[in-house]
Amino acid sequence: MAGIAIDTLSQCRYVTDITSTVDNLHWIPKSQDLSPALLRLLDIAASIRAAYDGTTPYRKIELLKQPITELSQLKGDLATSKLAKDAPLFGSITNKWLQIIQDSRKTLEEEAANSPEIPNVYLAGNALLPNDAKERFKGRQDIFREIENISLSAQPPVFLLYGRRRAGKTSALNYLPRKVGSNLIPLFVDVQNIASFTSYENIVNSLVEQITSSAFTARNLILPHANADAINQDPFAGLQQWMSLVEKKISNKRFLLCLDEFERFEEVIESTNSRTLLNFLRHVMQHRPQWILLFSGSHRLNELQPYWSDCLIGTRTLHLTYLNKSEAQELIQQPVTNFRDIYGADAVEEIVYLTNGQPYLIQLICSCIIDHLNREIRQSQIFRKATRQDVRDVVSTVFEQGEGYFVEFWQYLSERERIILRTLAQQGTVDAPDQLIINKLVQAEIIRQNNGNLEFQVPLIRSYIETLVEFRI
Ligand SMILES: Nc1ncnc2c1ncn2[C@@H]1O[C@H](COP(=O)(O)OP(=O)(O)OP(=O)(O)O)[C@@H](O)[C@H]1O
Ligand SMILES: [Mg+2]
């Protein structure tokens, strides 16, 4: 089996040969006792493929940085005693791949330099990952400082990181290891990956796997192996045993266990019809001072099932809200360093106004503006800066491209909330509204009171609701 894989990898002459190995060799089980160099090359092939899926030459060049670094590291390891025994088989493949990719990158760089088009550097969609998104992540310094200071205090409380959809919760957790000192080890668990499991053994194994891989990503730490038999016999006892081993190995630091989308534990609680999982979390809070829990989600305590209050009582809430004006301006004008000056001052002002600093909407609107300007550049070969009118012109495209976000926002509301928002969008005021609903909409950061008047916090949301009214939805 390894023989076939090695033949395929060594026959690559062009980038397309490398990227097609991902499909051609997907049947090889990675758990097999394959040589580490082979495993690393298979992974590198996958990141090369992801890079060539990039939308523009600029984006491809950016995404190629990682596999090029990994190939260079592999080349280095093959030359030293680390992987010396793999060198005869894999040395020449690695060198050849490196050459192919570097040549292709040169061609992409020429393409990018010769193109008058503006590189579309904005990332609107998935959570930002530091290795890829780099300095595109803006703001949130106050949250990082608070997490760090409180986590290292004598008796840290449990954290609740609260932010509405696409406020940047997962991105903030992804950047945490770079933003807090080395005495704190952030460990990331995506509860979404656990929600569908119905057996505690699978849940615990997934927890151990996610914690282990995130300790490595965050701090290059290799955690001890968990005892599979113990987990099989009594999953949570096995997990506790493993946590003790981890504590023993790293006794002088604290772990910040970040449970992203923690609300989805409700699915486990429902499907197992038991609160064992909550009891486990409570036990960790009370008896394991080295572990600090951070629950991240888009619901406030009063919007959750009542059984959470036991677990989350006395939590320190960290509120992830809109970016402030200067952070928003930085995201617009300097998403990456040395970004070309493509906006007129009125355009920046309009984007800040329409989005009120909502980071996803800023990235989306800016990405649509670049597409809009590039279309013009392709037609006339002339570059001009974006104006307020350009920003207004792309709003309908923003609604199309961000459909998932807007539709989800609307579906999440109750019928009575929708009526109030529709009326406010159409008439600019609402007569004798139900105060409870208003409070809820204010709490959800959709509207605010301003001198006794109600207004939308994000004018783009108001425009979206206006389009719904137009189409009588
Ligand atoms: N601090 C930030 N700086 C720049 N862009 C950001 C920031 N935070 C979020 N974004 C933008 O918002 C998008 C969504 O971010 P992310 O997935 O982290 O949000 P989330 O709150 O976890 O969303 P969800 O509630 O859907 O899980 C990103 O793709 C990015 O465009
Ligand atoms: Mg998220």
Side-chain angles (χ1 to χ4, degrees):
M1 190 182 318
I4 301 174
I6 293 163
D7 274 354
T8 312
L9 301 188
S10 64
Q11 279 162 15
C12 294
R13 302 262 172 283
Y14 305 101
V15 172
T16 44
D17 299 332
I18 298 178
T19 53
S20 53
T21 60
V22 179
D23 286 332
N24 295 343
L25 298 177
H26 80 277
W27 51 271
I28 294 188
K30 298 244 172 115
S31 56
Q32 277 271 334
D33 260 4
L34 297 177
S35 90
L38 177 55
L39 283 172
R40 279 167 69 175
L41 279 169
L42 292 174
D43 274 352
I44 290 170
S47 15
I48 292 174
R49 185 164 83 167
Y52 283 93
D53 281 343
T55 42
T56 59
Y58 176 85
R59 189 76 191 120
K60 288 180 184 144
I61 295 165
E62 209 182 27
L63 289 168
L64 274 177
K65 279 185 194 148
Q66 171 113 358
I68 289 178
T69 311
E70 284 168 4
L71 277 171
S72 308
Q73 274 165 356
L74 180 57
K75 184 176 165 178
D77 290 348
L78 287 166
T80 62
S81 56
K82 245 179 167 175
L83 287 176
K85 75 175 175 23
D86 281 343
L89 272 176
F90 295 101
S92 68
I93 302 179
T94 309
N95 287 338
K96 202 153 80 184
W97 280 29
L98 204 49
Q99 193 61 48
I100 296 171
I101 300 301
Q102 278 167 340
D103 288 349
S104 163
R105 184 179 60 178
K106 235 180 247 156
T107 315
L108 288 169
E109 276 167 355
E110 280 162 20
E111 252 177 68
N114 291 330
S115 157
E117 293 185 20
I118 309 155
N120 197 338
V121 298
Y122 298 98
L123 296 174
N126 295 337
L128 305 180
L129 287 161
N131 274 341
D132 172 30
K134 308 249 162 49
E135 72 272 36
R136 287 174 181 88
F137 181 87
K138 307 293 183 193
R140 312 308 189 202
Q141 291 306 331
D142 47 341
I143 301 252
F144 294 130
R145 282 295 70 74
E146 198 171 342
I147 291 181
E148 174 154 43
N149 291 339
I150 297 176
S151 297
L152 298 175
S153 68
Q155 278 193 320
V158 171
F159 291 106
L160 176 65
L161 180 68
Y162 160 79
R164 306 308 293 185
R165 295 308 307 269
R166 305 264 165 101
K169 302 174 290 295
T170 310
S171 303
L173 295 180
N174 289 340
Y175 275 74
L176 205 47
R178 299 188 171 205
K179 303 283 185 175
V180 298
S182 61
N183 280 339
L184 189 63
I185 304 172
L187 301 169
F188 179 86
V189 170
D190 185 354
V191 177
Q192 213 178 329
N193 290 343
I194 292 175
S196 58
F197 292 136
T198 47
S199 93
Y200 287 134
E201 189 185 346
N202 287 342
I203 291 172
V204 167
N205 280 327
S206 171
L207 276 171
V208 170
E209 202 181 295
Q210 292 195 57
I211 291 173
T212 304
S213 103
S214 113
F216 188 74
T217 317
R219 298 276 188 257
N220 264 331
L221 282 173
I222 297 174
L223 299 186
H225 286 296
N227 181 334
D229 288 338
I231 290 178
N232 176 276
Q233 268 172 22
D234 181 343
F236 285 105
L239 179 56
Q240 297 271 12
Q241 227 180 62
W242 178 69
M243 290 171 87
S244 301
L245 282 180
V246 173
E247 287 167 10
K248 221 185 215 164
K249 176 160 180 186
I250 305 155
S251 56
N252 54 347
K253 309 211 176 209
R254 281 190 175 163
F255 305 103
L256 180 67
L257 185 59
C258 305
L259 302 165
D260 195 26
E261 303 216 14
F262 76 96
E263 301 98 326
R264 302 208 53 182
F265 274 139
E266 289 182 2
E267 292 163 41
V268 177
I269 293 165
E270 234 168 74
S271 65
T272 55
N273 197 21
S274 131
R275 301 200 185 155
T276 310
L277 192 59
L278 286 183
N279 294 338
F280 162 75
L281 293 174
R282 239 195 337 257
H283 187 272
V284 173
M285 290 173 202
Q286 286 165 2
H287 302 289
R288 292 200 176 270
Q290 231 180 305
W291 297 73
I292 303 155
L293 297 188
L294 182 152
F295 293 84
S296 159
S298 47
H299 295 83
R300 293 205 185 240
L301 266 185
N302 59 6
E303 295 171 307
L304 293 167
Q305 294 286 346
Y307 52 67
W308 281 108
S309 57
D310 242 12
C311 223
L312 296 182
I313 205 129
T315 46
R316 171 70 70 113
T317 301
L318 305 162
H319 188 172
L320 217 58
T321 181
Y322 304 110
L323 296 179
N324 68 30
K325 194 170 169 193
S326 66
E327 292 161 350
Q329 285 167 338
E330 194 189 326
L331 178 55
I332 298 165
Q333 297 178 286
Q334 283 298 308
V336 293
T337 37
N338 297 326
F339 187 65
R340 204 155 134 192
D341 183 13
I342 64 160
Y343 299 99
D346 59 337
V348 177
E349 206 175 88
E350 185 71 5
I351 301 169
V352 174
Y353 166 73
L354 284 178
T355 60
N356 189 28
Q358 206 295 341
Y360 164 73
L361 293 176
I362 294 180
Q363 298 245 22
L364 184 58
I365 214 167
C366 290
S367 161
C368 291
I369 288 170
I370 292 193
D371 289 345
H372 178 75
L373 293 181
N374 278 341
R375 218 167 298 126
E376 218 175 271
I377 292 173
R378 277 197 293 274
Q379 276 163 9
S380 62
Q381 299 295 310
I382 294 171
F383 166 76
R384 61 171 181 81
K385 288 189 184 181
T387 62
R388 189 185 301 277
Q389 191 53 47
D390 290 314
V391 179
R392 291 179 181 165
D393 287 347
V394 300
V395 165
S396 56
T397 317
V398 168
F399 293 153
E400 262 169 49
Q401 294 198 7
E403 195 184 2
Y405 170 81
F406 290 105
V407 167
E408 195 192 354
F409 158 80
W410 192 243
Q411 281 173 346
Y412 179 76
L413 299 165
S414 70
E415 193 45 41
R416 293 171 71 197
E417 289 166 338
R418 287 181 194 165
I419 292 170
I420 288 189
L421 293 180
R422 256 196 226 113
T423 315
L424 185 62
Q426 267 179 308
Q427 300 169 7
T429 173
V430 188
D431 288 336
D434 180 333
Q435 200 52 44
L436 275 179
I437 298 187
I438 296 295
N439 292 347
K440 212 174 147 208
L441 292 170
V442 170
Q443 188 186 309
E445 298 169 347
I446 298 169
I447 57 174
R448 68 177 153 227
Q449 313 255 13
N450 188 6
N451 287 332
N453 298 321
L454 294 176
E455 62 184 27
F456 281 87
Q457 294 202 22
V458 179
L460 209 50
I461 294 277
R462 176 188 179 147
S463 306
Y464 173 73
I465 295 173
E466 278 170 342
T467 66
L468 297 180
V469 174
E470 255 173 58
F471 294 110
R472 296 181 196 290
I473 296 173

